[in-house]
Amino acid sequence: MTSTSPATGTGRAAGEPVDTIVVGGGPAGLSAAIYLARYNREVLVFDTGHGRSTHHQTNHNYLGFPDGIPTVDLRKLGTEQLARYPRARIVHHLITHAEGDAEQGFTVHSQGHSWRARTLVLATGVLDHFPHFAGWESYVGRSMFWCITCDGYENRGKRILVVGHTDAAAGEAMQLHSLTDRVELLTNSRSDEISEKFRRRLERAGIPVVHDRIGEVEGEGGMLSAVVTRGGRRLELDSLFSIQGATPETTLARQLGVPLADTGYVVVDTEQKTSVPGVYAAGDLTALHSHQVTAAVHEGAQAASAVNYFLYPPELKAD
């Protein structure tokens, strides 16, 4: 079934393609859509209301907000900004399949609906592997974090519990130790994969390693006060930094034949182009490191500019 004009809000005939479909309504996707709208392109943004920018954290690194800005507010402002452009719309459907090519056009599908576009921008982000316990989502961004760049500064001098069982977690604990001398590491896993090299570094820094798993937590209002392990140990804390990894959301990319790096992230060039003509990717989906709102907004803008140029007829191109 192809969505009709009222479903998309574009005013186009059923089945007629828009210029671009953007999958993902976070900072990367909204940035791409705003730029495309300002190029006077017809664009649909598919947003399920999930992802990192829907958590409770405040972003203190974004230029122009001296007191920081909650990421949910940044999304809201971006949505309001996009709403000023009549040729851009947000559609609240989960896209489960994508197919096609630049010559014939692309089609994306949700349950019972499909939409067509001349180009695609994938901004589907990543799935973070936070510790799961009763009410865990209410703590994310308030006292449970994943990024020292984003939230380390606000946790200077506090009691920090790093959760993770790899050298990446050990390295994060060492980095956080430069901000506070009250750091502990909990593996929260059946396995302990921290190498002897990092174990010696942790020991020299006075960072205890607890090889156990989270049983329950103590806290209220999104603020953790203690973790009780399955073995009965009580670890008091002010903040938890989860270093249990993240999985890039690459289902659509793989369906389209977009190559992935060995790390599992989508491979793009400096203009956010994938190797599949007409398909672009932006945001956390494209890199193992540097998952920042500033980078996502930049990549969304870059992808949109590349898309706009791709859509020009040959007589308007310099190459």
Coordinates of all heavy atoms in Angstrom, one line a residue, residues 3-10 18 20-25 30 33 43-50 75 79 82 87-95 108-110 113-116:
S3 N 1.4 5.3 0.6 CA 0.7 6.3 1.4 C 0.1 7.3 0.5 O 0.7 7.7 -0.5 CB 1.7 6.9 2.4 OG 2.7 7.6 1.7
T4 N -1.0 7.9 0.9 CA -1.7 8.9 0.1 C -1.2 10.3 0.5 O -0.4 10.4 1.5 CB -3.2 8.9 0.3 OG1 -3.5 9.1 1.7 CG2 -3.7 7.5 -0.2
S5 N -1.6 11.3 -0.2 CA -1.1 12.7 0.2 C -1.4 13.1 1.6 O -0.5 13.7 2.3 CB -1.7 13.7 -0.8 OG -1.3 13.4 -2.1
P6 N -2.6 12.8 2.2 CA -2.8 13.2 3.6 C -1.9 12.5 4.5 O -1.5 13.1 5.5 CB -4.3 12.7 3.8 CG -4.9 12.7 2.5 CD -3.8 12.3 1.5
A7 N -1.4 11.3 4.2 CA -0.5 10.6 5.1 C 0.9 11.3 5.1 O 1.5 11.3 6.1 CB -0.4 9.1 4.7
T8 N 1.3 11.7 4.0 CA 2.6 12.3 3.9 C 2.6 13.8 4.1 O 3.5 14.4 4.5 CB 3.3 12.1 2.5 OG1 2.4 12.7 1.5 CG2 3.3 10.6 2.2
G9 N 1.5 14.4 3.8 CA 1.4 15.9 3.9 C 2.1 16.6 2.9 O 2.4 17.8 3.0
T10 N 2.5 16.0 1.8 CA 3.3 16.7 0.7 C 2.4 17.2 -0.4 O 2.9 18.1 -1.1 CB 4.3 15.7 0.1 OG1 3.6 14.7 -0.6 CG2 5.2 15.1 1.2
V18 N 9.2 12.0 -3.6 CA 9.7 13.3 -3.1 C 11.2 13.3 -3.5 O 11.7 12.4 -3.9 CB 9.5 13.4 -1.6 CG1 8.0 13.4 -1.3 CG2 10.2 12.3 -0.8
T20 N 13.7 13.8 -1.3 CA 14.6 13.1 -0.4 C 13.7 12.6 0.8 O 12.8 13.2 1.3 CB 15.7 14.0 0.2 OG1 16.4 14.6 -0.8 CG2 16.6 13.2 1.1
I21 N 14.1 11.4 1.2 CA 13.5 10.8 2.5 C 14.7 10.8 3.4 O 15.8 10.2 3.1 CB 12.9 9.4 2.3 CG1 11.5 9.6 1.6 CG2 12.9 8.6 3.6 CD1 10.9 8.2 1.3
V22 N 14.5 11.3 4.6 CA 15.4 11.2 5.7 C 14.9 10.3 6.8 O 13.8 10.5 7.3 CB 15.7 12.6 6.3 CG1 16.6 12.5 7.5 CG2 16.2 13.6 5.3
V23 N 15.6 9.3 7.1 CA 15.2 8.3 8.1 C 16.0 8.6 9.4 O 17.2 8.4 9.5 CB 15.4 6.8 7.7 CG1 14.9 5.9 8.7 CG2 14.8 6.6 6.3
G24 N 15.2 9.1 10.4 CA 15.8 9.5 11.6 C 15.5 11.0 11.9 O 15.8 11.8 11.1
G25 N 15.0 11.2 13.1 CA 14.6 12.6 13.5 C 15.4 13.2 14.6 O 14.9 14.1 15.3
L30 N 17.3 16.1 11.4 CA 16.6 17.4 11.4 C 17.5 18.4 10.7 O 17.0 19.2 9.9 CB 16.3 17.8 12.8 CG 15.1 17.1 13.5 CD1 15.1 17.5 15.0 CD2 13.8 17.4 12.8
A33 N 17.2 17.8 7.0 CA 15.9 18.2 6.5 C 15.8 19.7 6.4 O 15.2 20.2 5.4 CB 14.8 17.6 7.4
V43 N 10.9 17.1 1.1 CA 11.6 16.1 2.0 C 10.6 15.5 3.0 O 9.8 16.3 3.6 CB 12.8 16.8 2.7 CG1 12.4 18.0 3.4 CG2 13.5 15.8 3.6
L44 N 10.7 14.3 3.3 CA 10.0 13.6 4.3 C 11.0 13.1 5.4 O 12.0 12.5 5.0 CB 9.2 12.4 3.8 CG 8.1 12.7 2.9 CD1 7.5 11.3 2.4 CD2 7.0 13.5 3.6
V45 N 10.7 13.4 6.6 CA 11.5 12.9 7.7 C 10.8 11.8 8.5 O 9.6 12.1 8.9 CB 11.9 14.0 8.7 CG1 12.8 13.5 9.8 CG2 12.7 15.1 7.9
F46 N 11.3 10.7 8.7 CA 10.7 9.6 9.5 C 11.3 9.5 10.9 O 12.5 9.3 11.0 CB 10.8 8.3 8.7 CG 9.9 8.2 7.5 CD1 10.3 8.7 6.3 CD2 8.6 7.7 7.6 CE1 9.5 8.6 5.2 CE2 7.8 7.6 6.5 CZ 8.2 8.1 5.3
D47 N 10.4 9.8 11.9 CA 10.9 9.9 13.2 C 10.0 9.0 14.1 O 8.8 9.2 14.2 CB 10.9 11.3 13.7 CG 11.3 11.5 15.1 OD1 12.1 10.7 15.6 OD2 10.8 12.5 15.8
T48 N 10.7 8.1 14.9 CA 9.9 7.2 15.8 C 9.9 7.8 17.2 O 9.3 7.2 18.1 CB 10.5 5.8 15.8 OG1 11.9 5.9 16.2 CG2 10.4 5.2 14.4
G49 N 10.7 8.9 17.4 CA 10.7 9.5 18.8 C 11.6 8.7 19.7 O 11.5 8.9 21.0
H50 N 12.5 7.9 19.2 CA 13.5 7.2 20.1 C 14.9 7.7 19.7 O 15.1 8.4 18.7 CB 13.3 5.7 19.9 CG 12.0 5.2 20.2 ND1 11.6 5.1 21.5 CD2 11.0 4.7 19.5 CE1 10.4 4.6 21.6 NE2 10.0 4.4 20.4
R75 N 15.7 19.0 20.0 CA 14.9 18.3 19.0 C 13.6 19.1 18.8 O 13.1 19.3 17.6 CB 14.5 16.9 19.5 CG 15.6 15.9 19.2 CD 15.1 14.5 19.8 NE 13.9 14.0 19.1 CZ 13.9 13.0 18.3 NH1 15.1 12.3 18.1 NH2 12.8 12.5 17.8
T79 N 12.4 20.7 15.3 CA 11.1 20.3 14.7 C 10.3 21.6 14.4 O 9.6 21.7 13.3 CB 10.3 19.4 15.6 OG1 11.1 18.2 15.9 CG2 8.9 19.1 15.0
L82 N 11.8 23.3 11.3 CA 11.4 22.6 10.1 C 10.0 22.8 9.7 O 9.7 22.9 8.5 CB 11.7 21.1 10.2 CG 11.5 20.2 9.0 CD1 12.4 20.6 7.9 CD2 11.6 18.7 9.3
R87 N 7.4 22.4 2.3 CA 7.7 21.3 1.5 C 8.4 20.2 2.3 O 8.9 19.2 1.7 CB 8.6 21.7 0.3 CG 7.9 22.7 -0.6 CD 8.7 22.9 -1.9 NE 8.3 21.8 -2.8 CZ 9.1 21.4 -3.8 NH1 10.3 22.0 -4.0 NH2 8.8 20.4 -4.7
A88 N 8.5 20.4 3.6 CA 9.1 19.4 4.5 C 8.1 18.9 5.5 O 7.3 19.7 6.0 CB 10.3 20.0 5.2
R89 N 8.0 17.6 5.8 CA 7.1 17.0 6.7 C 7.8 15.9 7.6 O 8.7 15.3 7.1 CB 5.9 16.4 6.0 CG 5.0 17.4 5.3 CD 4.2 18.3 6.3 NE 3.3 19.1 5.6 CZ 3.6 20.4 5.2 NH1 4.8 20.8 5.3 NH2 2.7 21.1 4.6
I90 N 7.3 15.8 8.8 CA 7.8 14.7 9.6 C 6.7 13.7 9.7 O 5.5 14.0 9.9 CB 8.1 15.2 11.1 CG1 9.3 16.1 11.0 CG2 8.4 14.0 12.0 CD1 9.7 16.7 12.4
V91 N 7.0 12.4 9.5 CA 6.1 11.3 9.5 C 6.5 10.3 10.6 O 7.7 9.9 10.7 CB 6.1 10.6 8.1 CG1 5.0 9.5 8.1 CG2 5.9 11.5 7.0
H92 N 5.5 10.0 11.4 CA 5.8 9.1 12.6 C 5.5 7.7 12.3 O 4.6 7.1 12.8 CB 5.1 9.6 13.8 CG 5.4 11.0 14.2 ND1 6.7 11.4 14.8 CD2 4.8 12.2 14.1 CE1 6.7 12.7 15.0 NE2 5.6 13.2 14.6
H93 N 6.4 7.1 11.5 CA 6.3 5.7 11.1 C 7.7 5.1 11.3 O 8.7 5.8 11.0 CB 5.8 5.5 9.7 CG 4.4 5.6 9.5 ND1 3.5 4.6 9.7 CD2 3.6 6.7 9.2 CE1 2.2 5.0 9.4 NE2 2.3 6.3 9.1
L94 N 7.8 3.8 11.7 CA 9.0 3.1 11.7 C 9.3 2.5 10.4 O 8.5 1.6 9.9 CB 8.9 2.0 12.8 CG 10.1 1.0 12.8 CD1 11.4 1.7 13.2 CD2 9.8 -0.1 13.8
I95 N 10.4 2.9 9.7 CA 10.7 2.3 8.4 C 11.5 1.0 8.7 O 12.5 0.9 9.4 CB 11.6 3.3 7.7 CG1 10.9 4.6 7.4 CG2 12.1 2.6 6.3 CD1 9.6 4.4 6.6
V108 N 10.8 3.2 0.6 CA 10.9 2.8 2.0 C 9.5 2.3 2.5 O 8.5 2.8 2.0 CB 11.4 3.9 2.9 CG1 12.8 4.4 2.5 CG2 10.4 5.0 3.0
H109 N 9.5 1.3 3.4 CA 8.3 0.7 3.8 C 8.2 0.7 5.3 O 9.2 0.5 6.1 CB 8.2 -0.8 3.4 CG 8.4 -1.0 1.9 ND1 7.4 -1.0 1.0 CD2 9.6 -1.1 1.2 CE1 7.8 -1.2 -0.2 NE2 9.2 -1.3 -0.2
S110 N 7.0 0.9 5.8 CA 6.6 0.7 7.2 C 5.4 -0.3 7.1 O 5.1 -0.8 6.1 CB 6.2 1.9 7.9 OG 4.9 2.4 7.4
H113 N 2.4 0.6 4.7 CA 2.6 1.9 4.0 C 4.0 1.9 3.2 O 4.9 1.2 3.6 CB 2.6 3.1 4.9 CG 1.3 3.3 5.6 ND1 0.2 4.0 5.0 CD2 0.9 2.9 6.8 CE1 -0.8 4.0 5.8 NE2 -0.4 3.4 6.9
S114 N 4.1 2.6 2.2 CA 5.3 2.8 1.5 C 5.4 4.2 0.9 O 4.4 4.9 0.7 CB 5.5 1.8 0.4 OG 4.5 1.9 -0.6
W115 N 6.6 4.7 0.8 CA 6.9 6.0 0.3 C 8.1 6.0 -0.7 O 9.0 5.1 -0.5 CB 7.2 7.0 1.4 CG 6.2 7.3 2.4 CD1 5.3 8.3 2.4 CD2 5.8 6.4 3.5 NE1 4.4 8.2 3.5 CE2 4.7 7.0 4.2 CE3 6.3 5.2 4.0 CZ2 4.2 6.5 5.3 CZ3 5.8 4.7 5.2 CH2 4.7 5.3 5.8
R116 N 8.1 6.9 -1.7 CA 9.2 6.9 -2.7 C 9.9 8.2 -2.6 O 9.4 9.2 -2.3 CB 8.6 6.6 -4.1 CG 7.9 5.2 -4.2 CD 7.4 5.1 -5.6 NE 8.4 5.2 -6.6 CZ 8.3 5.8 -7.8 NH1 7.2 6.5 -8.0 NH2 9.3 5.9 -8.6

